[in-house]
Amino acid sequence: MKTIFVTIGKLLLLTILMQIIWSVGLGIGSQLFPFELSTSGVDAGQLFLRMTVVCLIHTSLLYTLIHFAVWKGWKLASLLALEIFVIQFALSAVEALFFGGYLKMPANLAWSMIFTGIILSLVWSPLAVLISGNWKQIDSSKHLKTATGNMFWMNIALLSVVVYPFLYQLAGYFIAWRVPEVRALYDGLEAQPTFIAQLGSFVFSELHLLQIIRGLVWIAIAIPVMLALKSSMWMKALMVGLLFALLMNAQHLLPNALMVPEVRLAHFIETASSNFVWGFVIVWLLSKSGFTRSSNIGEEGKLAAA
């Protein structure tokens, strides 16, 4: 019982620290990269409450990753920083810049987001490892050996070029684009009458190239999570799926001047569902191609490709 209360206490402390560091980073970032954005429709009290909820969701996910990881110390802190910065900030900022003309988003807002991500990931991550008590323990994964084969790289290509763009279009066409407010926001983007026709127009577009690159980045940040966890393949898939789904998309709970509530809800359902499936598929397919490591902490881990 005492352990449960201690864990809850650490979780709440880390949630508070995340909210403070995030707010400070955002404040400094907005000064370094000034931008004009109307906040007349944003209630400060509601924003604070929802940001607390978002920080609690993020902290709970990352604390779970810490709990099941065999990596410790700076290695674990680096993993947390990578996941926070890339998923929560960098990938979102890149796509926001691509659709900036429709969102009417100042370019400096994206750079402010990147700066905030750097501050939050670099400051909060080592604090999380330290407070959770995972700084000085022995890292049992230090003898991990890695190797890759043809099937591994073929699956990387399949995932980035085909699977991720397909999931991206599937969720966008059948979830987000069904909402009138979303179509109004992206006025000028034409949707094809059928999904097959939509895929046909998408394949030869700049957006497809962008999603291939983003797909490769997603895979690159999924692999270290797989290596860090001492769990089964299914647990790894669940962890990666939840990180991809919520670490990026819980922020849609925050009121903002760029999207009305209907658009934020549509994008949350669209991207959270597709990102969860995407993370799950990455772990499953790479594992099936021979990407494995021992789940016994006392044994030497290994990475092999069939």
Side-chain angles (χ1 to χ4, degrees):
M1 183 63 71
K2 180 180 178 181
T3 304
I4 295 176
F5 283 117
V6 170
T7 301
I8 292 175
K10 291 179 179 180
L11 192 62
L12 293 176
L13 174 59
L14 288 171
T15 299
I16 294 171
L17 288 174
M18 177 177 284
Q19 187 162 3
I20 292 173
I21 297 168
W22 190 350
S23 299
V24 170
L26 187 59
I28 298 175
S30 63
Q31 294 300 314
L32 293 176
F33 304 97
F35 55 87
E36 293 184 4
L37 193 65
S38 174
T39 58
S40 58
V42 179
D43 180 79
Q46 185 183 58
L47 177 61
F48 176 82
L49 180 61
R50 294 197 179 195
M51 190 171 184
T52 302
V53 173
V54 171
C55 288
L56 180 59
I57 293 172
H58 287 187
T59 301
S60 299
L61 279 173
L62 295 168
Y63 198 91
T64 302
L65 175 58
I66 292 171
H67 176 75
F68 286 104
V70 294
W71 291 0
K72 309 297 175 184
W74 281 111
K75 194 173 184 180
L76 179 56
S78 298
L79 174 63
L80 296 177
L82 176 70
E83 301 302 311
I84 292 171
F85 176 73
V86 176
I87 299 176
Q88 187 176 342
F89 294 95
L91 285 170
S92 299
V94 168
E95 192 164 47
L97 283 172
F98 187 88
F99 290 105
Y102 299 100
L103 296 173
K104 297 179 176 58
M105 186 190 79
N108 270 4
L109 176 56
W111 293 114
S112 178
M113 288 170 56
I114 293 293
F115 177 83
T116 304
I118 293 173
I119 296 299
L120 180 60
S121 58
L122 292 182
V123 176
W124 186 87
S125 299
L127 287 176
V129 175
L130 182 64
I131 291 172
S132 65
N134 286 272
W135 196 267
K136 295 183 179 180
Q137 296 182 31
I138 297 175
D139 183 355
S140 60
S141 67
K142 61 183 178 182
H143 300 299
L144 184 67
K145 295 180 180 180
T146 60
T148 55
N150 291 335
M151 184 59 69
F152 175 83
W153 295 112
M154 287 176 61
N155 282 330
I156 294 290
L158 175 65
L159 285 165
S160 59
V161 177
V162 178
V163 177
Y164 181 63
F166 176 80
L167 288 173
Y168 180 88
Q169 279 293 301
L170 185 70
Y173 190 84
F174 287 107
I175 298 178
W177 210 249
R178 303 301 102 184
V179 179
E181 289 81 2
V182 172
R183 296 196 299 271
L185 177 65
Y186 298 100
D187 183 34
L189 282 179
E190 294 186 6
Q192 300 299 320
T194 67
F195 179 62
I196 299 300
Q198 180 71 19
L199 280 179
S201 64
F202 168 73
V203 166
F204 301 102
S205 67
E206 293 180 352
L207 183 58
H208 187 201
L209 178 60
L210 174 64
Q211 299 315 323
I212 291 174
I213 296 172
R214 291 179 81 234
L216 287 170
V217 174
W218 281 116
I219 296 168
I221 60 176
I223 288 175
V225 175
M226 294 175 66
L227 295 175
L229 294 178
K230 59 176 179 278
S231 312
S232 67
M233 184 272 287
W234 299 110
M235 183 62 187
K236 292 176 183 179
L238 180 62
M239 186 75 253
V240 173
L242 288 174
L243 283 172
F244 283 13
L246 296 178
L247 201 57
M248 170 179 277
N249 298 297
Q251 297 175 86
H252 285 303
L253 297 174
L254 301 176
N256 63 73
L258 298 175
M259 298 180 183
V260 296
E262 293 81 3
V263 173
R264 288 190 285 108
L265 178 60
H267 277 317
F268 175 80
I269 297 173
E270 169 207 7
T271 50
S273 59
S274 60
N275 279 5
F276 178 80
V277 174
W278 167 233
F280 205 94
V281 170
I282 289 175
V283 176
W284 176 77
L285 193 56
L286 293 186
S287 297
K288 290 297 181 182
S289 68
F291 187 85
T292 58
R293 75 176 306 278
S294 172
S295 60
N296 187 333
I297 305 177
E299 298 178 0
E300 179 182 287
K302 59 182 178 181
L303 174 65

